[in-house]
């Protein structure tokens, strides 16, 4: 039986790399019941393996492995510093640094594995940003070495102390990694401890930290990160440190406080010069190390005590440094991420354009800060669909970064688009869980909606954009190089694989007599999520989501038809016609499966009962209901055998933005229904002073609706920025059709056209009233003193903390109100 892989402090002691019986490879040697290559491991005492790093054997110290230039072994335990003094480049080692944490002198440099040279001193001014969302204070710092986000959480007098506690977090896009430290007051009085960053010699608290790679480096990468001053108003205890992956940090903050023993046990606590302390952890790759240190600032008399794997910090100010030595991404500056025509946005909207730059890199755009500092396929493609009018195009551009990232990560076996990549320390951890010793990244493919965005994105760029048309052949000839399993395939071949999946899965419904529920697109059999409402109760346990079937499938089919007509997919010239025929059937025959019509009197009763049961104290507005309420449910085949999940929602936006329906009777009814629900106040409709809600469960008629779609639920009665942007852009697109040579019928229907126009302007009034929150991921509300007020979702009990900046929440840089429609 294979002995479990064990990760221990400093370096991994690997036991049982290969299982008995002995493998056929004659080069493998036995070590206990394991087999190993002597070029990769050293066997101690016949049953203990330590890795060989950079051609040098590591030594055993009790249950750990180590390098003598980093630690020394005393009585079977690792001790810091190593013999002869501190490790080079570590805190208190005596290496010369500038006040900003950079090595003294500007001529020093080091080479990274990619061959690029990192100068010791960046010549350009760092990009900094401070975004306040109490009780969260967010700081950003980017220079030529690294991109960093710091989040300081400190309880407010009104904070729910069961949710909000003192916390210091650093997140890095490189490797989707970071460090996290939770604190508690040493006096035991919950709520009495406050923490804050304070400025040093500059006008903002963060500065870069850079140490060139040296002899003690296992990665040959420089050590980069941030330095700052952090002040504790009273004595504190470090209760929970996490070093490594943002995913590990999310598992703790979002779930039932999950801590992974082999992650936590690998943290090494070491005293440093000046009465400080450092925490370090070697990643599962056995080369990368994350560190964070606290050292009393000049003038402070306190001394940090290391006590039973915790730190005790007297009240005062500390130099805090967080660094790691992982390969960095190439960040796109604000001028690089925007096209030439949109450069004026930098001066007009410096906040949003700085945030967009922080999330934009040459190989991919990241979903959000801090929780999603990595690739998410759906997020990046929705973002580029909405943002393309202002994004850079051409080689090395933001638009091509999105498309190439999607194609690189495509599942070549079935055409599925990657939802989320798994990289860095977490990727190695998941590989080890499968008994695979590898740092290779991975992808999740459980989402069904993500597949359908690629074709519309390609049409917008390679057909509708002059720059994209010029780049088409060179881009599609590009061969995949990233380590996601597609090496050797061209981008054209990968795009074809995705299109084949869409054509195959949509065919049954498009055939004569095929318009049945069974032929609609279902979630994957082993999944409870599959589209953007990807929380447990997001679509009520439904198996057939509304947005995918009524909007995304027909939009993708129309796009495949357009691409085929433009010469794409030469092996399938028939798709020009076939895909268009399929699209027409899907456009005309899917809405009816999801439509819910509630008679007036029933609707009034349902809203009144919901308002009473919900218990928030807001008015029902039931008297506003003077006609049948019509909406489309979130999904079909919901929990508890519900044929349709009866939750009014904002997902009409997908169809308005992506589909130009030609079924006139259906289109007129649909745009009018959407307008009615936008105009009506919650809980009659979706309108709320804090924004357009993404869900309204008032018409469910079952207590489970009020319980599962709340103001603290991730996809409950809350506000997401991007659906408002897509709805605004979608209504504008439909109203814009009224200027076509053959306008839709609703344009001549004065009451309906007036209703849609009123809804468009009402929505924009709500958007503009909530401008300060538009760039955040998601927010909620409280009903206080007779009115709705904005409340951070993460400040509510049981809720998920939202990101201060989300990629698709920056789409109002491109989605603007049309003053001609006022």
């Amino acid at each position: 039986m294979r002995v479990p892989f064990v990760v221990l402090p400093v370096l991994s002691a690997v036991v049982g790399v290969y299982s008995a019986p002995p493998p056929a490879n004659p080069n493998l040697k036995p070590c206990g019941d394991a087999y190993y290559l002597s070029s990769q491991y050293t066997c101690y005492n016949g049953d203990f393996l330590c890795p060989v790093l950079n051609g040098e054997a590591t030594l055993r110290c009790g249950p750990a492995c180590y390098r003598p230039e980093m630690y020394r072994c005393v009585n079977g335990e690792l001790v810091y510093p190593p013999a002869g003094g501190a490790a080079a480049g570590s805190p208190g080692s005596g290496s010369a640094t500038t006040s900003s944490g950079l090595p003294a002198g500007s001529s020093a440099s080091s080479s990274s594995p990619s061959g690029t040279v990192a100068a010791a001193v960046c010549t350009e001014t760092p990009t900094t940003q401070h975004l306040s969302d109490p009780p969260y204070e967010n700081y950003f710092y980017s220079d030529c070495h690294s991109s960093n986000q710091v989040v300081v959480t400190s309880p407010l007098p009104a904070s729910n102390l069961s949710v909000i506690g003192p916390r210091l977090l650093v997140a890095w896009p490189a490797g989707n990694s970071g460090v996290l430290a939770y604190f508690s007051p040493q006096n035991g009085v919950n709520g009495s401890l406050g923490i804050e960053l304070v400025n040093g010699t500059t006008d903002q608290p963060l500065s870069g930290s850079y140490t060139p790679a040296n002899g003690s480096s296992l990665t040959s990468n420089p050590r980069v990160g941030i330095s700052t001053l952090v002040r504790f108003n009273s004595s504190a205890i470090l209760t929970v440190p996490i070093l490594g992956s943002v995913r590990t940090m999310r598992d703790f903050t979002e779930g039932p406080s999950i801590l992974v023993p082999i992650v936590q046990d690998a943290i090494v606590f070491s005293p440093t010069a000046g009465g400080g302390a450092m925490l370090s952890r070697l990643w599962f790759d056995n080369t990368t190390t994350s560190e964070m240190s606290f050292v009393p600032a000049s003038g402070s008399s306190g001394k940090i005590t290391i006590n039973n794997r915790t730190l005790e910090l007297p009240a005062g100010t500390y130099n805090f440094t967080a660094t790691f030595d992982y390969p960095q991404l190439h960040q796109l500056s604000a001028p690089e991420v925007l096209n030439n025509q949109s450069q004026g946005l930098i001066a007009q909207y410096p906040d949003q354009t700085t945030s967009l730059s922080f999330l934009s890199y040459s190989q991919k755009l990241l979903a959000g800060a801090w929780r999603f500092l990595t690739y998410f396929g759906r997020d990046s493609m929705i973002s580029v669909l909405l943002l393309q009018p202002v994004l850079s195009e051409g080689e090395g551009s933001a638009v091509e970064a999105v498309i190439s990232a999607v194609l690189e990560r495509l599942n070549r076996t079935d055409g599925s688009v990657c939802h989320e990549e798994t990289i860095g320390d977490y990727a190695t951890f998941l590989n080890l869980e499968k008994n695979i010793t590898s740092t290779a990244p991975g992808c999740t493919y459980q989402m069904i909606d993500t597949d359908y965005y690629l074709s519309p994105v390609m049409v917008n760029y390679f057909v509708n954009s002059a720059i994209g048309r010029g780049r088409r052949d060179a881009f599609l000839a590009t061969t995949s190089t990233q380590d996601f399993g597609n090496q050797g395939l061209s981008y054209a071949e990968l795009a074809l694989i995705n299109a084949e999946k869409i054509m195959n899965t949509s065919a049954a419904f498009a055939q004569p007599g095929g318009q049945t529920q069974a032929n609609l697109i279902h979630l994957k059999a082993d999944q409870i999520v599959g589209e953007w409402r990807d929380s447990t109760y997001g679509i009520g346990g439904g198996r057939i989501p509304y947005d995918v079937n009524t909007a995304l499938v027909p939009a993708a089919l129309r796009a495949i038809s357009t691409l085929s007509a433009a010469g794409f997919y030469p092996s399938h010239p028939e798709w020009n016609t076939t895909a268009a025929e399929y699209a027409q059937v899907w456009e005309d025959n899917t809405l009816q499966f999801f439509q819910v019509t509630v008679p007036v009197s029933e609707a009034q009763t349902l809203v009144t009962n919901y308002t009473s049961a919900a218990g928030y104290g807001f008015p029902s507005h039931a008297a506003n209901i003077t006609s049948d309420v019509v909406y489309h449910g979130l999904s079909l085949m919901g929990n508890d055998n519900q044929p349709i999940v009866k939750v009014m929602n904002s997902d009409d936006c997908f169809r308005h933005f992506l589909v130009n329906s030609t079924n006139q009777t259906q289109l007129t009814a649909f745009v009018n229904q959407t307008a009615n629900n936008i105009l009506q106040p919650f809980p009659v409709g979706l309108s709320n002073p804090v924004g357009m809600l993404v869900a309204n469960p008032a018409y469910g008629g079952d207590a489970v609706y009020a319980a599962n779609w709340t103001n603290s639920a991730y996809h409950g009665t809350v506000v997401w920025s991007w659906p408002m942007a897509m709805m605004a852009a979608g209504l504008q697109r439909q109203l814009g059709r009224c200027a076509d040579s053959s306008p839709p019928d609703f344009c001549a229907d004065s009451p309906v056209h007036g209703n849609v126009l009123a809804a468009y302007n009402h929505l924009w009034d709500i958007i503009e009233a909530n401008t300060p929150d538009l760039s955040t991921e998601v927010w909620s509300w409280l009903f206080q003193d007779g009115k709705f007020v904005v409340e951070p979702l993460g400040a509510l009990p049981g809720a998920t903390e939202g990101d201060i900046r989300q990629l698709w929440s920056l789409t109002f840089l491109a989605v603007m109100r049309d003053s001609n429609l006022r």
Side-chain angles (χ1 to χ4, degrees), residues 198-220:
V198 294
N199 293 346
T201 58
T202 65
D203 59 358
Q204 57 86 31
L206 298 186
S207 59
S209 179
Y210 176 89
T211 303
N214 52 51
S216 65
S217 171
L218 303 178
T219 65
S220 298

Side-chain angles (χ1 to χ4, degrees), residues 484-736:
F484 291 96
N486 293 324
Q487 294 94 329
L489 289 180
S490 71
Y491 285 177
E493 291 172 312
L494 291 165
L496 173 63
I497 293 171
N498 172 254
E500 287 174 336
K501 175 179 183 177
I502 293 169
M503 292 299 295
N504 291 336
T505 56
S506 63
F509 187 87
Q511 302 309 309
Q515 295 77 53
T516 65
Q517 180 171 303
N519 286 334
L520 292 171
I521 303 299
H522 293 55
L523 299 189
K524 295 184 178 181
D526 59 344
Q527 299 293 330
I528 62 170
V529 296
E531 44 87 84
W532 86 269
R533 297 173 185 265
D534 52 357
S535 56
T536 302
Y537 300 107
I539 57 172
R543 307 303 304 165
I544 306 173
Y546 167 55
D547 59 334
V548 174
N549 287 279
T550 64
L552 301 185
V553 174
L557 289 166
R558 288 287 180 198
I560 290 172
S561 173
T562 300
L563 291 167
S564 178
F568 287 69
Y569 320 125
S571 59
H572 290 283
E574 76 280 3
W575 283 356
N576 178 20
T577 301
T578 306
E581 291 172 349
Y582 285 9
Q584 192 69 53
V585 175
W586 280 86
E587 287 173 11
D588 294 347
N589 296 281
T590 50
L591 279 179
Q592 62 260 32
F593 287 95
F594 298 88
Q595 182 169 314
V596 178
T597 301
V598 189
V600 176
S601 59
E602 182 184 352
Q604 291 173 337
T605 300
L606 287 171
V607 167
T608 301
N609 291 343
Y610 164 77
T611 303
S612 176
Y616 295 105
F618 51 68
S620 71
H621 298 293
N624 286 25
I625 303 174
T626 58
S627 61
D628 293 352
V629 173
V630 181
Y631 65 94
H632 291 80
L634 281 175
S635 61
L636 308 180
M637 300 173 61
N639 288 328
D640 301 325
N641 298 313
Q642 296 192 42
I644 185 168
V645 177
K646 297 179 180 179
V647 174
M648 182 185 288
N649 60 84
S650 59
D651 287 1
D652 292 359
C653 67
F654 288 99
R655 190 169 170 102
H656 291 307
F657 181 66
L658 295 170
V659 177
N660 282 342
S661 175
T662 56
N663 184 322
Q664 298 302 321
T665 301
Q666 185 183 77
L667 174 60
T668 298
F670 185 63
V671 295
N672 195 49
Q673 162 243 293
T674 299
N676 287 335
N677 296 338
I678 290 174
L679 287 166
Q680 288 289 358
F682 173 71
V684 175
L686 299 173
S687 177
N688 190 293
V690 303
M692 180 184 70
L693 304 183
V694 299
N696 175 5
Y699 300 101
D702 188 317
V704 71
Y705 286 97
N708 290 340
W709 284 273
T710 68
N711 68 331
S712 61
Y714 199 45
H715 297 103
T717 56
V718 297
V719 181
W720 287 68
S721 178
W722 73 264
M724 292 196 294
M726 184 177 282
M727 184 69 83
L731 292 180
Q732 184 172 322
R733 179 167 293 185
Q734 297 306 316
L735 288 166

Side-chain angles (χ1 to χ4, degrees), residues 660 664 733-745 747-748:
N660 282 342
Q664 298 302 321
R733 179 167 293 185
Q734 297 306 316
L735 288 166
R737 296 174 69 189
C738 295
D740 293 349
S741 57
S742 299
D745 288 356
C747 300

Side-chain angles (χ1 to χ4, degrees), residues 407-489:
L407 292 171
E408 288 280 356
R409 293 159 178 78
L410 195 85
N411 186 332
R412 66 190 296 172
T413 61
D414 68 359
S416 296
V417 172
C418 173
H419 164 56
E420 177 186 4
E421 68 179 356
T422 305
I423 60 175
D425 193 45
Y426 203 76
T428 313
F429 169 68
L430 293 186
N431 288 332
L432 292 173
E433 294 251 291
K434 302 172 187 176
N435 290 341
I436 300 171
T437 305
S438 171
T439 61
C443 267
T444 59
Y445 298 96
Q446 76 270 37
M447 299 297 167
I448 61 170
D449 64 338
T450 312
D451 303 339
Y452 299 96
Y453 291 111
L454 178 58
S455 298
V457 167
M458 291 178 63
V459 165
N460 277 7
Y461 185 51
F462 294 116
V463 177
N464 297 339
S465 164
I467 294 176
R469 290 193 296 271
R471 281 284 298 156
R472 165 187 155 177
D473 292 343
F475 182 89
L476 293 178
T478 303
T479 300
S480 174
T481 59
Q482 296 186 37
D483 194 12
F484 291 96
N486 293 324
Q487 294 94 329
L489 289 180

Side-chain angles (χ1 to χ4, degrees), residues 65-130:
C65 305
Y66 72 104
R67 289 278 290 268
E69 63 269 30
M70 299 180 68
Y71 296 91
R72 54 196 169 102
C73 185
V74 178
N75 298 325
E77 294 184 357
L78 291 174
V79 176
Y80 183 93
S90 64
S93 66
S95 59
T97 60
T98 67
S99 59
S100 64
L102 298 174
S106 58
S107 60
S109 64
S110 65
S111 298
S112 68
S114 64
T116 60
V117 176
V121 176
C122 296
T123 58
E124 295 184 359
T125 303
T127 301
T128 62
Q129 189 171 25
H130 175 206

